[in-house]
Every structure is written in structure tokens, then in C-alpha cells.
Amino acid sequence: MGDNVILPSRDGGPATPIASRGRPSLERAAEIGNLVVEAAITAFVEQGLDISIEQIAQSVGVSKQAVYRRWSSKIQLLMDVMDRVMARIHSNLSQDLPADPVLALKELSRRMCEPDGGVRERSMTILMAEALEDAAVRHWLGSWRDKHFAFYRRYVTAVISVEHPEPWPETVARILLDVVEGVSRECYWQDMSDVECETLFLRKWDASLPMLHG
């Protein structure tokens, strides 16, 4: 049996299931995958691992078999979600940054502290808990953090003078990223307002500036 995908009606009416027979084409499989990932982002943030694959599948109008053909477990799906979230975040973070390297790093860091509805914090909390028991998740988590650090480090290196050889740029990048992630966590878990988050970030940023010019 094929899987039905429910797409929104153009006139604002109820969603309409679109039926297919047999296995989906590559194009439709990609469409189903995108629908599942988008639904999973919301589901994991709202319900954590209490959500089932079947519930995620139902929310986008496909069978659970369609999901299991691509992801063998909820954790595998969550890891894919976080890979896509990271790619999306990095793309958004790096758009229209100031030309000045210091201002670009500051703006990038500020954007990284902005609330995203708990996608990063709750998803990473779930994965870190799973990593305690699952070596594959630990390996993936380490790789994910390495990629995220490499992205941030490029902007730090652009600021620090060439007169400061390694390991100084890497050390500064790790300290600043810890500061930024700490602000992000505090803003989310303390349910701070945008103004409170901005104030906290600026205070931490100003305290960190001497490192960039040390």
C-alpha cells in the first residue's frame, strides 16, 4: 500500500489526503521526509520522547511504516531533526552580518541567544540523556558539537589577530561559545523576555571582549 500525504487546501478549507499506490517516488519520499521532520520538531519540543512514531506519522497523514522506512527509531529521527535544525540555524545566523569582523561576531553571538521555542535546548537535553546509554548517540552528539564549534570558530578567528597563534583562537572560541550557549540556556529555562535576554547577552559579551583583543 502507498502512503497518503495530507496537504493544506489552497482555499483555506480542510486538508486533503493525496493517495498514491506502491512505494513513493524519490520526489514524494523527500516531501514525506520533510513533512515528518517538521512535525517531529514540534512534537519533540512539546512532548519529548513521550511522542510516538505513529503519532508523528498521523500528524502529517502518512503511515508509521513510511516513517520507519527512513528512521529506525525516535532517536534516529531526533538526530536527523537536529542535523537539519543546525543547518537551518547556521544559514539564518550567517545572513546579512556586518562587514566588520567584531560586529559580525557580536551579532552572530546575539542571534544564537535568541529563543527558538525550545527546539535546541529540549532536543539537546533529550539527546544528552540518551548518550549516557547509547554509544552511537554519543558519537553523533560529539560530531554535531564539533561541526557547531567549527562554524562559530570561523568568526572568532576572523577577529583575533594573526599575531596570536594556536591554540589561542581555539581557546577563545570555546570560551565564547560556552558563554553564548550559557546565555541561551538561561534565557530558555528561566523563561526570560526578549529584553532580559538581550540585557544578559550584552553584559556577558562586554565582559568577554578583552579576550578578543588580548
Side-chain angles (χ1 to χ4, degrees):
M1 291 290 293
D3 300 301
N4 292 343
V5 176
I6 298 178
L7 299 178
S9 170
R10 292 184 178 181
D11 60 6
T16 304
I18 300 177
S20 67
R21 294 181 179 177
R23 285 184 176 274
S25 65
L26 290 177
E27 181 179 345
R28 216 168 84 77
E31 179 185 22
I32 291 172
N34 288 332
L35 288 169
V36 170
V37 167
E38 290 302 317
I41 290 173
T42 301
F44 284 129
V45 169
E46 292 180 350
Q47 300 185 50
L49 288 181
D50 290 337
I51 193 74
S52 69
I53 288 290
E54 185 171 8
Q55 288 172 301
I56 294 173
Q58 288 177 347
S59 72
V60 294
V62 301
S63 69
K64 65 180 180 181
Q65 287 79 11
V67 180
Y68 277 119
R69 275 200 293 267
R70 184 161 181 175
W71 299 280
S72 61
S73 68
K74 287 186 289 186
I75 291 299
Q76 289 294 325
L77 175 56
L78 181 54
M79 288 191 291
D80 196 6
V81 163
M82 287 306 296
D83 280 334
R84 296 193 187 202
V85 166
M86 179 171 68
R88 185 184 305 174
I89 288 173
H90 287 178
S91 176
N92 293 338
L93 288 174
S94 57
Q95 288 181 1
D96 301 321
L97 290 172
D100 179 84
V102 175
L103 295 180
L105 177 61
K106 179 180 180 180
E107 176 60 16
L108 176 81
S109 301
R110 186 195 66 78
R111 293 177 185 179
M112 290 173 69
C113 296
E114 290 179 342
D116 66 352
V119 172
R120 288 168 298 178
E121 298 304 331
R122 294 202 61 173
S123 297
M124 292 306 291
T125 298
I126 293 169
L127 286 166
M128 284 189 289
E130 288 296 316
L132 295 174
E133 305 293 337
D134 190 320
V137 177
R138 282 198 301 275
H139 176 77
W140 175 89
L141 191 57
S143 176
W144 191 95
R145 295 182 75 86
D146 286 345
K147 292 175 186 176
H148 189 51
F149 173 72
F151 167 81
Y152 189 72
R153 184 183 182 279
R154 290 199 301 271
Y155 291 89
V156 175
T157 302
V159 172
I160 295 180
S161 169
V162 293
E163 298 174 0
H164 295 88
E166 294 291 359
W168 182 244
E170 179 166 348
T171 300
V172 172
R174 291 196 181 280
I175 293 172
L176 284 178
L177 186 57
D178 282 345
V179 170
V180 169
E181 290 181 340
V183 172
S184 177
R185 284 192 297 270
E186 188 168 349
C187 288
Y188 175 70
W189 293 110
Q190 297 297 326
D191 196 22
M192 291 183 174
S193 67
D194 290 347
V195 173
E196 289 172 327
C197 287
E198 180 85 7
T199 300
L200 177 61
F201 166 73
L202 290 175
R203 178 163 56 83
K204 298 282 189 178
W205 176 261
D206 289 344
S208 302
L209 272 179
M211 287 190 298
L212 294 175
H213 307 291

